[in-house]
Structure formats: C-alpha cells, structure tokens
Amino acid sequence: MSVRVRLLLSFTSVLMVTIMLFVLSAYLVTIAITGDVRSFSDFYKNHYKLHPLSASEERIFLELKSIAKTDPAKLMSAELLSDYDFQLRMIQAGMYVRKESKQLYVSPSLREPHLGAALPGYEMGNNQIRNTINDGNRFFAYAKFDFTFSDQDRGSIYVLRERSPFAEMIRKLFPIFIGVLLAVLLFTNWLLFRLITRSIIKPLNELRQSAEQIKSGDLHYEVKAQGQDEIGQLCRSFEEMRLQLKQSVQLQLQYEDNRKELLSSISHDLRTPITTIKGYVEGIRDGVADTPVKLNQYLETIHTRVTSLDRLVDELFLYSKLDLRKVPYSFEHVDLQSFLADALEELHFDLDLQGIQLEGVFPHSPLPVLIDREKLKRVILNLIDNGVKYMDKDAKQIIVRVTESDEYATVEVRDNGAGILQEQLPHIFDQFYRGLPPHHKQPEGSGLGLAIAKQIIEGHGGRIWAESEWKQGCSIYFTLKKTIETADGGDA
Ligand code: ADP
C-alpha cells in the first residue's frame, strides 16, 4: 500500500472518528440537558412543531385534553388545575387555562402581562395544536387544546414549556451549522492531506527519481531539500551523497584518463631513444661504422641515449612511487637557510663552468622547517636544472630567494631564461607536460621534473606555483610550513 493511500486512509479514519465522537458528544450533551434518553432520537425531526413537549409533559397534556373533551366543567376546579400544575412544575413546565378571554389558571412561572395576548386565538378544529410563541421577552413551546364549556363558552388548555431564544435560533440554523461543520472538517482534512502529501510524498518522489537516475549512471539529478525537518535532512544527506559519488566518479574518470595519458606518454618517451639506439646498433652490426672513429661516435650516441633512458626510467619510477604515496618521508628539523646554502654550494662549481651565476638570498635569522632532506634537494635540483635548461641569455643568472611570513617560508627559484608562455603556466606541473615554445628547440627532458617537485612539496604540506614573463625568465615558488623546534626535537 502506497504512503499516499495510507495517509488518505488514516486521515479518513480520523475524520470518521471525529464525526462519531461529535455525534456521541451531541447525544450525551442532549441527554445531560434534557435528562431524556429518547429525546435525542426525536431531536430535530420537526420536534417542536410535532412534539413541543417532552413525553411526561405530553402525558399531562393528554390527560387535561381528555378532561376537556369529556368533562370540561372539571377544569373550573382550581384544586384540580393546581394539582396538574404541581406535576408540571416538577418537570419545569407550566399551564394556562382560559375561558373566552378570561384567564382561569396560569402557572406562577408563566405570569407575564403579555402572555394572554401572545397566545393564539380559538381554533375549534384544533388543527394547529403544537407550536411556539414569543411574548416579547420569553419564548415558549406549547401544546394546546380548544374546547367548549357546557355553557357554550370557548375554552383552551395550554401546556407550555419555556425555551431559550438562543436554542430556537440554533434549532433553525441547525442544518446549516452541521453542513458548515462537516464542510470545514472535510476541507481541513483535505488541506492537511495535501499539505502532508506535498511535504512527504513530493520529496520522496524526487529522492526515488534521483536514486533511479543514479542507478542508471546519471549523477546530475539534483534533489532540492526544503525545510529543516527529517525529510529535508534526508534530502540533504542524499544530495551530499550524490555529490560525493559524482566527485569520486569524476576523480575515477580523471584517474583513468591520467593512466591512459601516462601509458601513451611513457611508450612514446621510451620509443624515441630506443629507436635511435636500435638504429645505431644496426648500423654497427651492418658495418656502417666501418672506421674506429665512426664506431666510437656510434657508441657515444648509444651511451648518451641509454643514459637519458636510464634517467627517464628513474624519474618515472620515482614519480609513480610518489603518486602512489609509496615513498616514505623521513622528516627532520632543519634550518632552511643552511640547508639551501649547502645545496647551492654543491652546484656552484658545475654552474660556474657553464657561465651561470647562482646566488642565494636568505633572511638573517634561522628558519626552522620540517623536511625530508633528500627529497627537498631533488626539488631544488629539478628547479635549478630547468633554469639551466631553458636559459637563453648571455648573462645567465639563477637566484634562490627565501622569504618568510608568520606561518610559512617561501622559496623562489628565479632564472632570467626563456620564461614560460602564460597559457602554458597552468600545465607545467602536469606529468609529461613539455612546453614547446614556438621556434625554439626543446631541450632534453621527460616532462616529469616539475610533476615530481609538486608531489614532493605537497608531501611536505606546501604549495608550489610558477610566475613568468615570456622572454624575461621565470620564478618557481614553493612554501614550507615553519616549525619551532623544541628541546626534545619535537615541533610545537
Ligand atoms: P622538462 O623540463 O623535462 O620538460 P619539467 O616538468 O621540468 O619537464 O617542466 C615542464 C615544462 O615547463 C618544460 O617542458 C618547460 O616548457 C617548462 N619549464 C619548466 N621550467 C622552466 C624554466 N625555468 N624556464 C622555462 N620553461 C620552463
């Protein structure tokens, strides 16, 4: 059974129970007021017109009527009349007896100056014997009987019961009240049903639709959560789950793309030197290198190619290990300035030979950082190596500058070489990316140097980026978190 049908059934049963309780309480209230169990069954069956009086009042009225029919003279007896009046008073009713225009008897509770005038005139056919009257202030239901005394005078007996005018109004408007009440109940029921189904069924349907879309592989169907209730929370959690799923699927696809790209790049990068080596080896085998000088040249080329192949495989191996987070880091507390100064010192000799001026610009105070010495050295080497590779000026210069902020130390490796085109900047840290500046011969390289540097810096919790102006040189920056070395060697 669907939730909608269940809700409809529960609402209908609540409505039925409400109506039943309403009828029951009306019944009980009527009994409580009238004290008569049967009075409810007579309720509103033109009650006042046909039975303006209760059964006991009616019984007394019938007795008086039978006396009026058989022996009207008896009605002249004040004793008999007050005896009947007493009985009527016991049940909160009263009587009025008249002979022509003379009042023979009137119950004390009915002594009103205008009552006589308000009572209807003689109507000997007794066609209309039950009705209501209003004497101005008070409202009565009555049963009357017109008869003839032995002296041919007309007489009337009235048994009256006072009713509240409000009750009369209610009596008249009763069907309208009931109708309006039922209409309000039905309307409220319908409104509540709509409201609840809207706030529950609609989001549930959306959730179902979204789940079905996800099942069929479409992760774009957004579930809009409304409200803070449980359903709203469920929608929000579902939406979060969808977004996470979408993200991980996208990541998966990206990984897949990366993997394919990596494979094709590796095969391409390996094929080029291998083809060259193969060509030279075949040349030697076929006797093309027929002089010792030529043979030496061939062997030299093969050696260079094998060396670069070896380096490529090394870098590839390191990159894939870093990418798979399989290289352990051994962090140490180090003063960044002295670490960099040592690293630059080692390179000075080589760079001097190539006519490159290498300069370190450091702040005066020590700068404690937590680093893996070997890996950070690799980063510095890769960056300086690039500065050397892409150098196109006569006055060659590479500067390593350190600045510090509250939390971080920033290292800049700046060269005055070829620089990087703006559109290439976002890609240079991608694996196997090699910028090919137009009309420039691309120096040897694997396209892994900066990708490895990025992996290592991120492994240190830092950030790496590049700034460059084409033809003016380029700066690669990276950050390292500063630490405060404590006495026991731990960092705070
Ligand atoms: P590789 O240098 O082996 O090509 P890298 O990952 O080290 O690979 O660098 C990627 C690309 O970024 C290079 O191909 C080059 O186009 C550009 N690049 C990196 N460093 C510099 C630099 N200092 N000056 C100019 N271009 C650079």
Side-chain angles (χ1 to χ4, degrees), residues 32 40 46 59 62 74 91 97 107 146 165 176 212 229 235 283 302 311 328 339 345 351 414 453 468 485:
F40 185 77
N46 245 344
R59 183 183 52 75
L62 288 178
K74 269 192 185 168
I91 50 173
V97 184
S107 302
D146 292 335
I176 298 169
E212 270 167 19
D229 57 5
C235 288
I302 290 170
R311 217 181 42 232
F339 168 79
E345 190 58 48
L351 294 184
R414 166 150 200 92
S468 174
E485 202 178 349

Side-chain angles (χ1 to χ4, degrees), residues 277-290 294-300 302:
I277 293 165
K278 200 174 149 208
Y280 279 93
V281 170
E282 278 170 6
I284 294 170
R285 193 189 61 190
D286 299 344
V288 181
D290 45 6
K294 247 186 179 176
L295 184 67
N296 211 31
Q297 262 179 3
Y298 272 44
L299 286 175
E300 199 54 46
I302 290 170

Side-chain angles (χ1 to χ4, degrees), residues 315 382-383 386-391 415 417-420 424 427-430 432-437 442-452 468 473-474 476:
E315 286 194 329
N382 282 3
L383 299 186
N386 278 349
V388 174
K389 266 199 300 187
Y390 300 104
M391 181 58 72
D415 64 65
I420 305 167
Q424 291 179 346
H427 308 289
I428 58 168
F429 295 99
D430 295 349
F432 292 109
Y433 180 82
R434 306 210 67 208
L436 290 168
Q442 177 82 11
E444 218 171 81
S446 62
L448 285 171
L450 289 183
I452 288 172
S468 174
C474 120
I476 309 280

